[in-house]
Structure formats: structure tokens, C-alpha cells
């Protein structure tokens, strides 16, 4: 089978996956920046036959526990990280009296995957344009439990307006 036929048989993703990909990128960046994960020692190199490669020349290998230690996290670094996380945290309050329908896409005709009660505080990841609801075409990607879209017409911002997806 040629590469061309393999490439054409691969499914193509269509729709509003951009925010999901952005969320995964943010999560991956947060995990790689975690000091606890940076302290994990790297395994020794392994040859093609599965044996650990040992150097034949040079200094003798040292004990892994001696050379790898967890970096010390200072209070200043922790407070900077919390401030950066708070700067990108967007919240809103549901103002729909009967509750807010949460959907899998930013359209009125998409599948309902949950609800948010009147007065509930929701965490907003970003905003995009979608179907017009009461003269408002903005939709918010909410991160409460599962990723879902809610119409901005029924969510009152608390603090700064969310960024664009």
C-alpha cells in the first residue's frame, strides 16, 4: 500500500477542536513546568539489544541519587506561579433563571451535555463566535468538570473578560 493511499485514508478532524488543542497545550506546558516532575532522573541509555550501555572510557558513573536532587522551590516562585495562574483565570456567573444549557459546540442546535444552575460560578477558558442568542454571538468554553460551551448571553463576567480561543 502506498503512502499516498495511507495518507488519504486517515480521518481528518473538522469542527471546533482548536480550543481543545489549546487546552491540551496549556496543560502540557503546566506539567512540564512543574518542579516535582523535573526531579525525576533520566534512565541510563539502552542499546539495541536491551542492555544498559556503560561507558568504556572516562570517569566511572556516579550514583544517580547523588547527582539528581529536586530543585528547591521558594515562596517567591510559588507566589509568582499563583499570580500568573490567577491572571489567566476567567470566571462568570450564570444569569439564566431556568439554568444554562451546556453544549458540545458553540451552536444552539448542538447536543446538550449538561446544565449550570442559576447563580452558579463557572470557570471560563476562552470565548469564540457562534450562533446568535438574544443578540449575542459570543460563546464561552467552560472548564467545570467537562469541557462544554455556554452562551455568553446567559453568563455575566466576574472580573476580566475571557481571551479569544
Amino acid at each position: 500500500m502506498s503512502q499516498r493511499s495511507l495518507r488519504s485514508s486517515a480521518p481528518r478532524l473538522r469542527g471546533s477542536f482548536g480550543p481543545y488543542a489549546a487546552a491540551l497545550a496549556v496543560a502540557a506546558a503546566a506539567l512540564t513546568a512543574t518542579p516535582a516532575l523535573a526531579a525525576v532522573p533520566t534512565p541510563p541509555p539502552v542499546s539495541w539489544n536491551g542492555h544498559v550501555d556503560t561507558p568504556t572510557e572516562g570517569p566511572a558513573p556516579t550514583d544517580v541519587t547523588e547527582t539528581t536532587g529536586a530543585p528547591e522551590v521558594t515562596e517567591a516562585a510559588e507566589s509568582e506561579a499563583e499570580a500568573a495562574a490567577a491572571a489567566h483565570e476567567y470566571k462568570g456567573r450564570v444569569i439564566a433563571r431556568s439554568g444554562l444549557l451546556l453544549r458540545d459546540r458553540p451552536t444552539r442546535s448542538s447536543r446538550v451535555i449538561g446544565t449550570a444552575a442559576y447563580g452558579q460560578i463557572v470557570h471560563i477558558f476562552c470565548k469564540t463566535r457562534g450562533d446568535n442568542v438574544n443578540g449575542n454571538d459570543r460563546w464561552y468554553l467552560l472548564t467545570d468538570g467537562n469541557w462544554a460551551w455556554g452562551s455568553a448571553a446567559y453568563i455575566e463576567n466576574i472580573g476580566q473578560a475571557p481571551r479569544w480561543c
Side-chain angles (χ1 to χ4, degrees):
M1 189 179 269
S2 71
Q3 285 185 346
R4 177 173 288 176
S5 63
L6 284 175
R7 215 177 297 132
S8 64
S9 66
R12 294 185 181 228
L13 299 176
R14 298 181 193 265
S16 59
F17 290 102
Y20 299 108
L24 287 174
V26 169
L31 287 176
T32 56
T34 306
L37 293 177
V40 176
T42 57
V46 177
S47 68
W48 63 272
N49 60 2
H51 298 301
V52 174
D53 286 340
T54 55
T56 56
E57 297 178 9
T62 59
D63 186 17
V64 173
T65 57
E66 291 177 11
T67 59
T68 58
E72 194 171 310
V73 179
T74 63
E75 289 181 29
E78 285 180 3
S79 64
E80 285 179 26
E82 289 174 7
H88 297 292
E89 185 175 305
Y90 307 108
K91 292 183 182 180
R93 179 177 289 112
V94 176
I95 57 173
R97 292 279 179 190
S98 59
L100 175 65
L101 296 178
L102 305 177
R103 299 182 179 273
D104 65 348
R105 292 195 176 128
T107 61
R108 295 176 74 167
S109 61
S110 62
R111 186 171 57 100
V112 175
I113 58 174
T115 59
Y118 173 76
Q120 179 179 342
I121 304 296
V122 291
H123 293 86
I124 304 168
F125 183 72
C126 61
K127 66 182 172 185
T128 192
R129 287 194 168 91
D131 282 357
N132 194 323
V133 178
N134 295 339
N136 188 341
D137 69 345
R138 305 269 165 83
W139 287 72
Y140 293 152
L141 180 59
L142 307 178
T143 61
D144 297 311
N146 55 354
W147 294 74
W149 292 96
S151 173
Y154 298 115
I155 300 173
E156 178 182 61
N157 290 334
I158 298 174
Q160 185 178 356
R163 66 181 179 84
W164 289 96
C165 295

